[in-house]
Amino acid sequence: MTRNGKAATASGKTYPTTPDGRYFVVRGRLWRTSDPSLDPKWRQNLVNELMSARRAVRDAGDDAALKAEARQRVDAAKTSLGERGPVWWTDGAPDLNRRMVAGTVYAEWYQSLVDG
């Protein structure tokens, strides 16, 4: 979810969001945002499941089976949110998720933020 061109995280940190709203940038890397067309209540349910699944990964400790199950839950939630899997936009633009922003069409935009 974006606010004023910034993606907010659970920790309260904010990161710049690309002008088209598809990605936010953390340490120079693009990360896909959630599908903005999701119903807000459904989106919140998915975020709650994602946070629960992340806690389950943490709490699994050395139990490989529990950790694998929890990671599958994380993946399912992120896919349902549109952060993984098929892209949620329809204009045919490629998915640049996890790529360094400097080598993408967003490089000039990001550099303008860095330069201030």
Side-chain angles (χ1 to χ4, degrees):
M1 171 102 7
T2 61
R3 280 193 317 243
N4 303 322
K6 302 277 185 176
T9 64
S11 67
K13 293 181 182 179
T14 57
Y15 298 97
T17 302
T18 58
D20 57 16
R22 293 176 181 166
Y23 305 95
F24 62 95
V25 183
V26 179
R27 293 189 302 254
R29 188 174 303 274
L30 295 167
W31 296 93
R32 199 185 321 164
T33 61
S34 298
D35 181 349
S37 71
L38 291 174
D39 173 77
K41 288 181 182 179
W42 176 241
R43 181 188 181 286
Q44 189 58 56
N45 286 339
L46 292 170
V47 169
N48 293 347
E49 168 56 16
L50 175 60
M51 294 299 103
S52 174
R54 285 179 170 167
R55 285 189 298 275
V57 170
R58 178 198 65 203
D59 295 344
D62 293 332
D63 188 322
L66 281 178
K67 191 165 280 196
E69 180 183 326
R71 285 183 174 151
Q72 287 176 342
R73 288 177 52 205
V74 168
D75 186 62
K78 290 183 81 59
T79 299
S80 294
L81 283 163
E83 296 174 12
R84 291 185 182 163
V87 298
W88 46 260
W89 52 89
T90 59
D91 65 1
D95 185 11
L96 303 175
N97 196 35
R98 300 183 184 183
R99 297 221 173 97
M100 296 304 291
V101 70
T104 71
V105 297
Y106 302 106
E108 191 173 310
W109 161 80
Y110 187 65
Q111 192 59 48
S112 73
L113 296 179
V114 173
D115 292 344

